[in-house]
Amino acid sequence: MAGGVIVSATAGKDYPGNLTLHVFITCVIAATGGLIFGYDLGISGGVISMDDFLKKFFPAVYRKQSLVHQSVNQYCAFDSQILTLFTSSLYLAALVSSIFASYITRKLGRRVSMVAGGVLFAVGAILNGFAQNLAMLIIGRLLLGFGVGSANQSVPIYLSEVAPHRYRGGLNMMFQLSITIGILVADLLNYFFAKIDGWGWRLSLGIALVPALIIIIGSFFLPETPNSLIERDHHEKAKEKLIELRGVPNVDEEFNDLITASEAAKLVKNSWRNIIKRQYRPHLVMAICIPMFQQLTGMNVIVLCSCFVQNHWLQKPSFPHVCFNYRIIYWTTNSYVNEQLVVALAIGLKFGVNGNPGDLPTWYAVIVVILICIFVAGYAWSWGPLGWLVPSEIFPLEIRSAAQSITVSVNMIFTFIIAQVFTAMLCHMKFGLFLFFAFFIMVMGLFIYYLLPETKGVPIEEMITVWKNHPYWRKYYDDLPSPKQVELA
Ligand code: BGC
């Protein structure tokens, strides 16, 4: 959670179930779906700073950049809309495919969507690796985007459904961990491939096939989630899977609750139309605001900037948030507002408002890099994993697939906007760009503190209780009986 309002941590049921090796391995394999997203995030920024790549596909940009590098204004050195459009086109494709993926995950199951994501990404990687012209490059890029959209729509839901509720947070955050590993590997590979004259970029783009194969092959070993099997009327199989996943024979209570949730879900014919109903208002608000705020941390400015300036080793995978409840998000938010402020100050002091060039002393660069590392570490235990975990666990079954698509779409829209405009913003707002993100980090801290109830330890199909008991959101359920009334009745 987040908030000052811990209303529900004990409101849910406590189903029997262990963190078995089986469920752990299942989640590790499923989480590798994050590798394709991470790999692409890491690779594209680096590739577009390789001269051979620019000369082949964007010669005009290459010529312009050679001149701009000598510009007196350092803030404007990276401002090229065509190039950023190449990077960010993927996010638009991901947005579109996440909407289709919502139907697939609902009708055919979560795994099919994961495999589809891997296959689309694999074809995109091959096209990009062998690209002879701009058309091949762009078509490949769109396919990569379709792959990312499908995987990001299905993997977080899969993880939240498969995990025993007490371990859901820790297991789900492996998705963010693999995104981060993907970025790290891509950055390291870019660093080496940039030294290969002429065709290093082909290796950077083509090796995207590897994470795609990992998720495709891995998915064949994954069980379908019990929730999805029940949703598609395979009750017996669902019970077998639930017993296997929980590692205990007595799963009746959880199984019956899954059936009840599924029956309620079946009454909802069109989840896209239903999500705008009053009783789903908190879900809709979270589906939109959480991914929007995740992007407004400014994390992707750091991811993309770091590629531009060749600081390829800044991404750090991190595990620690498993030990805390989500309240940490608020604490961390404050600490990394400060980080953005200090980065702004450090950059502002050096380049001033005119972006004066001049040599950056090594000690100064090291301080900026350390500050950025602290920022990245703060993100990696708060808005990074929780930006995917919280949406995947709060939506009731009847709107889950559609709501997750909204989350992915909003994430991609904001990733697109930020990727597209940050170089221009940097050029015009100068170090104020970092103050801009610092402001939003403060706003999102308050949002989480007051509006997001604690979900830790609450079984996924029991999540409705957290909204019904929340001081603000409960008014949306006033006309429905409260859990206490139901208990007393
Ligand atoms: C975000 C990405 C970001 C990445 C960085 C993910 O959770 O959705 O936009 O680049 O974290 O680690």
Side-chain angles (χ1 to χ4, degrees), residues 37 41 176 179 183 294-295 300 303 315 379 384 388 411:
F37 183 33
L41 280 164
Q176 175 68 21
I179 295 177
I183 297 175
Q294 188 202 55
Q295 290 307 313
N300 276 328
V303 171
Q315 289 288 320
Y379 173 89
W388 293 106
N411 191 305

Side-chain angles (χ1 to χ4, degrees), residues 61 155 241 382:
V61 176
V155 174
K241 289 290 161 222
S382 57

Side-chain angles (χ1 to χ4, degrees), residues 51-59 131-133 198 201-202:
D51 288 351
D52 293 319
F53 175 82
L54 288 180
K55 276 186 228 161
K56 184 162 175 67
F57 297 106
F58 302 95
Q132 297 302 324
N133 48 43
W201 61 269
R202 287 195 187 277

Side-chain angles (χ1 to χ4, degrees), residues 31-89:
T32 58
L35 287 177
I36 58 176
F37 183 33
Y39 188 84
D40 187 81
L41 280 164
I43 220 71
S44 39
V47 163
I48 61 173
S49 62
M50 291 183 193
D51 288 351
D52 293 319
F53 175 82
L54 288 180
K55 276 186 228 161
K56 184 162 175 67
F57 297 106
F58 302 95
V61 176
Y62 174 71
R63 279 193 300 277
K64 187 186 159 216
Q65 279 208 350
S66 321
L67 296 175
V68 173
H69 279 310
Q70 293 146 23
S71 152
V72 287
N73 190 341
Q74 294 302 296
Y75 293 120
C76 300
F78 308 117
D79 189 9
S80 163
Q81 293 300 306
I82 301 178
L83 215 49
T84 44
L85 187 61
F86 163 74
T87 314
S88 48
S89 58

Side-chain angles (χ1 to χ4, degrees), residues 187-481:
D187 283 347
L188 288 172
L189 290 180
N190 265 343
Y191 177 79
F192 292 111
F193 294 154
K195 297 178 190 196
I196 302 177
D197 255 1
W199 56 286
W201 61 269
R202 287 195 187 277
L203 288 176
S204 291
L205 294 178
I207 286 181
L209 184 61
V210 175
L213 289 178
I214 295 178
I215 182 67
I216 296 171
I217 298 170
S219 296
F220 284 105
F221 297 97
L222 293 177
E224 190 47 271
T225 72
N227 315 53
S228 167
L229 287 168
I230 292 173
E231 197 176 24
R232 289 175 291 132
D233 291 326
H234 304 302
H235 289 200
E236 259 178 46
K237 217 164 159 198
K239 191 155 188 189
E240 273 167 35
K241 289 290 161 222
L242 196 60
I243 292 172
E244 249 172 70
L245 287 166
R246 300 294 175 256
V248 290
N250 181 10
V251 292
D252 289 353
E253 195 185 4
E254 182 172 5
F255 182 70
N256 290 338
D257 285 348
L258 292 183
I259 299 218
T260 312
S262 165
E263 273 159 12
K266 286 209 172 106
L267 300 176
V268 173
K269 290 283 168 258
N270 185 331
S271 44
W272 287 96
R273 206 173 310 133
N274 268 275
I275 201 167
I276 50 177
K277 283 193 176 158
R278 188 177 158 80
Q279 78 219 63
Y280 300 119
R281 197 58 43 82
H283 309 93
L284 187 59
V285 169
M286 295 300 156
I288 295 172
C289 290
I290 289 184
M292 175 185 82
F293 282 140
Q294 188 202 55
Q295 290 307 313
L296 287 174
T297 57
M299 179 61 192
N300 276 328
V301 168
I302 304 288
V303 171
L304 297 169
C305 255
S306 72
C307 300
F308 279 127
V309 295
Q310 304 294 311
N311 286 326
H312 295 292
W313 43 275
L314 296 185
Q315 289 288 320
K316 297 205 317 182
S318 141
F319 232 98
H321 101 277
V322 195
C323 325
F324 301 92
N325 70 16
Y326 300 172
R327 198 181 172 82
I328 202 76
I329 216 173
Y330 181 66
W331 178 85
T332 315
T333 287
N334 285 332
S335 70
Y336 74 112
V337 170
N338 300 336
E339 242 35 76
Q340 286 278 30
L341 290 176
V342 182
V343 170
L345 189 70
I347 294 177
L349 281 178
K350 182 62 196 161
F351 293 132
V353 283
N354 299 320
N356 293 325
D359 287 337
L360 196 64
T362 309
W363 65 268
Y364 208 94
V366 168
I367 289 179
V368 175
V369 168
I370 291 174
L371 290 172
I372 291 177
C373 282
I374 298 173
F375 171 84
V376 171
Y379 173 89
W381 81 0
S382 57
W383 280 94
L386 297 176
W388 293 106
L389 165 66
V390 174
S392 75
E393 64 182 14
I394 59 172
F395 306 134
L397 189 60
E398 62 270 25
I399 56 160
R400 189 169 299 154
S401 296
Q404 180 69 10
S405 296
I406 295 179
T407 296
V408 177
S409 301
V410 173
N411 191 305
M412 294 301 152
I413 291 170
F414 276 86
T415 309
F416 171 82
I417 295 174
I418 289 175
Q420 196 57 38
V421 301
F422 91 86
T423 50
M425 282 171 84
L426 183 66
C427 185
H428 293 105
M429 294 171 71
K430 308 176 171 71
F431 61 87
L433 175 64
F434 297 91
L435 300 177
F436 170 86
F437 289 119
F439 167 76
F440 278 108
I441 293 172
M442 250 158 15
V443 173
M444 65 187 78
L446 292 173
F447 171 86
I448 294 294
Y449 187 81
Y450 287 109
L451 292 179
L452 182 67
E454 179 61 62
T455 54
K456 187 178 159 80
V458 182
I460 189 166
E461 306 302 356
E462 292 286 303
M463 207 54 84
I464 189 71
T465 53
V466 306
W467 308 107
K468 287 184 176 172
N469 291 327
H470 187 273
Y472 177 76
W473 295 116
R474 70 169 156 233
K475 67 179 180 210
Y476 288 88
Y477 301 94
D478 276 352
D479 43 348
L480 302 168

